[in-house]
Amino acid sequence: RRPPRSTLFPYTTLFRSVQAYGRNLRDSGMSIAQAVHDRIASYRDELSKNPETLEDLKALLNTITIVLDSTNEIELMIDDCSERYRTLEEFDVTVADGEAQMVESLGSEWDRLIELAKETGRNSAKIRRKFAKVTQDQVTAFVDESTELLTQIRESGPANPELELDDAVVKHEEFDTILVAKRQTREQLVLAQKLFGLEITPTPDFKKCEDIMEHLGRVLGLYKEFKEAEAGWSGTLFFGELDMDVLNTGVEEFV
């Protein structure tokens, strides 16, 4: 004889609640497992790259650091995911074989990735020495280029005393563009020297270039302001329109 509907209702409700809880637990557990799996795959790809430039090497060393520093975080995520799937098994919630196998393999996959990161770090020592030599050669070249740039600024650039002021303004703008690019190069070289534990090489001629260009920038800036003001004054059509107090004040600003 079938039990009354009122008797079955609590059990049906409980069963549905368990199934709903199981689905939520499975979805969240699978989301965590997939996130860990994707990170492991991404890190493995990065560690397998052979650095050919300084930027490549910096990216590789950064990945090694990230992997080793992420151990606690990833292990907590794996433990959380494994606990969710153990709970699903206890409640006899159906889980696809592929999901269960992926979750079970996460721990061993992460352990292998850690070993790969450590091995890559050990093997990178030779590559680091190679790039340290390249960096030192680049620094030497930069020092020579700075000396040449200083000569150009003084002889054919804005610091040439034989230049007219208008020509000096044009030259200053040209050399300022060059100086900005050189400054970026110097900053990158300093970072590279720090990365490889090299002594920071001083660049006194480049500092002289910066000082000269900064001083000329102030002087020529005043000259350009005066020229602009002069152009405004010359635009006055009639002598009667001139305000002599304003004109005198404007001139005094440049004296």
Side-chain angles (χ1 to χ4, degrees):
R1 181 184 176 187
R2 185 177 180 181
R5 181 181 297 271
S6 59
T7 305
L8 290 174
F9 178 74
Y11 299 100
T12 302
T13 302
L14 178 61
F15 176 77
R16 290 176 179 172
S17 297
V18 170
Q19 290 297 309
Y21 174 73
R23 285 193 298 270
N24 291 334
L25 201 62
R26 174 185 171 277
D27 291 343
S28 59
M30 193 60 208
S31 177
I32 296 172
Q34 191 64 53
V36 174
H37 181 270
D38 291 346
R39 286 178 65 175
I40 291 175
S42 176
Y43 292 149
R44 188 186 298 113
D45 289 343
E46 291 297 321
L47 293 173
S48 65
K49 293 179 180 178
N50 184 30
E52 297 182 356
T53 66
L54 180 58
E55 291 302 315
D56 292 341
L57 178 60
K58 286 160 59 176
L60 177 64
L61 297 177
N62 186 55
T63 300
I64 293 173
T65 301
I66 291 175
V67 169
L68 298 179
D69 289 348
S70 299
T71 298
N72 290 337
E73 176 195 358
I74 296 297
E75 288 180 348
L76 285 173
M77 293 175 70
I78 292 174
D79 289 343
D80 184 13
C81 185
S82 299
E83 184 61 32
R84 290 169 188 264
Y85 273 79
R86 276 195 294 270
T87 303
L88 292 174
E89 185 178 0
E90 290 178 4
F91 282 89
D92 200 24
V93 177
T94 303
V95 175
D97 292 339
E99 290 183 26
Q101 291 174 358
M102 185 179 75
V103 172
E104 291 176 3
S105 66
L106 288 178
S108 58
E109 284 187 26
W110 179 252
D111 291 339
R112 286 194 293 270
L113 184 70
I114 290 293
E115 289 304 315
L116 176 61
K118 292 179 179 179
E119 181 182 0
T120 303
R122 291 190 293 268
N123 294 338
S124 68
K126 182 178 180 180
I127 302 175
R128 288 169 65 95
R129 288 193 294 271
K130 169 189 170 183
F131 278 100
K133 175 65 168 58
V134 171
T135 297
Q136 196 60 59
D137 292 342
Q138 290 176 338
V139 170
T140 300
F142 181 82
V143 171
D144 294 339
E145 291 169 4
S146 298
T147 301
E148 182 180 352
L149 179 62
L150 179 60
T151 300
Q152 291 175 349
I153 290 175
R154 287 171 170 170
E155 296 181 357
S156 61
N160 184 345
E162 297 181 0
L163 284 178
E164 297 291 338
L165 284 175
D166 288 334
D167 295 332
V169 169
V170 174
K171 286 288 185 180
H172 185 272
E173 292 175 352
E174 293 175 357
F175 276 84
D176 188 58
T177 300
I178 297 173
L179 194 66
V180 169
K182 290 290 185 184
R183 186 179 295 114
Q184 292 175 345
T185 300
R186 184 196 59 180
E187 292 173 354
Q188 292 171 356
L189 290 174
V190 169
L191 291 175
Q193 289 177 94
K194 291 179 179 179
L195 176 64
F196 300 123
L198 301 174
E199 184 177 352
I200 305 300
T201 301
T203 54
D205 284 347
F206 185 76
K207 181 65 169 60
K208 291 178 183 178
C209 291
E210 290 185 311
D211 291 343
I212 291 174
M213 291 292 290
E214 182 181 358
H215 174 71
L216 287 174
R218 290 196 295 267
V219 174
L220 295 175
L222 288 173
Y223 173 71
K224 287 194 293 184
E225 290 179 12
F226 178 80
K227 291 285 289 184
E228 292 172 359
E230 186 181 42
W233 300 332
S234 65
T236 302
L237 296 178
F238 303 101
F239 184 79
E241 296 178 11
L242 289 175
D243 186 328
M244 297 306 298
D245 291 335
V246 173
L247 185 60
N248 290 330
T249 301
V251 171
E252 290 172 359
E253 291 180 357
F254 299 100
V255 176

